[in-house]
Structures are given as structure tokens and as C-alpha cells.
Amino acid sequence: LVAPPASRVAVATGGGRPVVDRLYTFGAPGLTRHGPLINNARADGCFPGLRVYRKGSVSLEEFEVRLEISDPIAWLLKPFGYVHPQSAALSLKE
């Protein structure tokens, strides 16, 4: 996840607090612990934008098994309670 320094990010403010206009992540781990970020400015709680991650499969022909695999970075922090923000997600398949 690459982001410009906070001093260079333009944000709108609502009631003196920063407001996220859109959120895009590409193969990023979960961003918050103990519950997703929720957009209180929208009834559905989702952020405009997109979470993109890679998904594929591996075939183990000798065992006649096909395993679905996902981008390891996208779920890396899940065992520690980190989750992704509420937004649309796009799975890029191999």
C-alpha cells in the first residue's frame, strides 16, 4: 500500500474531522482491528472505491486436487484481527 504523505492528501472535512472521499487498495492487508472502517456518510456504510486482490488456483495432479489460493498479503494480518474497510472488492483471477 503506497500513500502520499498525510500533509499532501487533500481531504474534505465534516464537522472538523477528515472525510475520506474514495478508498482504493491493491493487494493490501486489512487496515483496522476489531471491525471494518465504516463510511458514516453513506447508508450502506461502504466507501466509494475498490479493494483489489489476486486470486488463483494450483493443481496437484498427482492427488487429483485443485486448490484455490488468494493473495497472501490481502489476508496476512487476519489472524491478528485486522479486517478490510467496507468497499467493493475485485478479485483478479489468473
Side-chain angles (χ1 to χ4, degrees), residues 15-51:
R17 297 181 66 185
V19 175
V20 175
D21 184 44
R22 288 177 178 78
L23 182 62
Y24 293 89
T25 63
F26 300 90
L31 302 176
T32 57
R33 290 183 69 186
H34 311 299
L37 288 174
I38 296 172
N39 184 356
N40 292 322
R42 290 181 41 150
D44 64 2
C46 291
F47 288 96
L50 193 61
R51 179 172 74 89

Side-chain angles (χ1 to χ4, degrees), residues 19-86:
V19 175
V20 175
D21 184 44
R22 288 177 178 78
L23 182 62
Y24 293 89
T25 63
F26 300 90
L31 302 176
T32 57
R33 290 183 69 186
H34 311 299
L37 288 174
I38 296 172
N39 184 356
N40 292 322
R42 290 181 41 150
D44 64 2
C46 291
F47 288 96
L50 193 61
R51 179 172 74 89
V52 181
Y53 63 97
R54 188 177 69 104
K55 193 170 195 173
S57 60
V58 174
S59 183
L60 303 174
E61 294 176 12
E62 61 272 15
F63 299 108
E64 298 180 9
V65 173
R66 188 167 188 82
L67 301 173
E68 292 293 320
I69 58 172
S70 194
D71 187 340
I73 300 302
W75 53 262
L76 179 69
L77 297 177
K78 187 171 185 155
F80 304 103
Y82 286 84
V83 294
H84 296 280
Q86 288 187 334

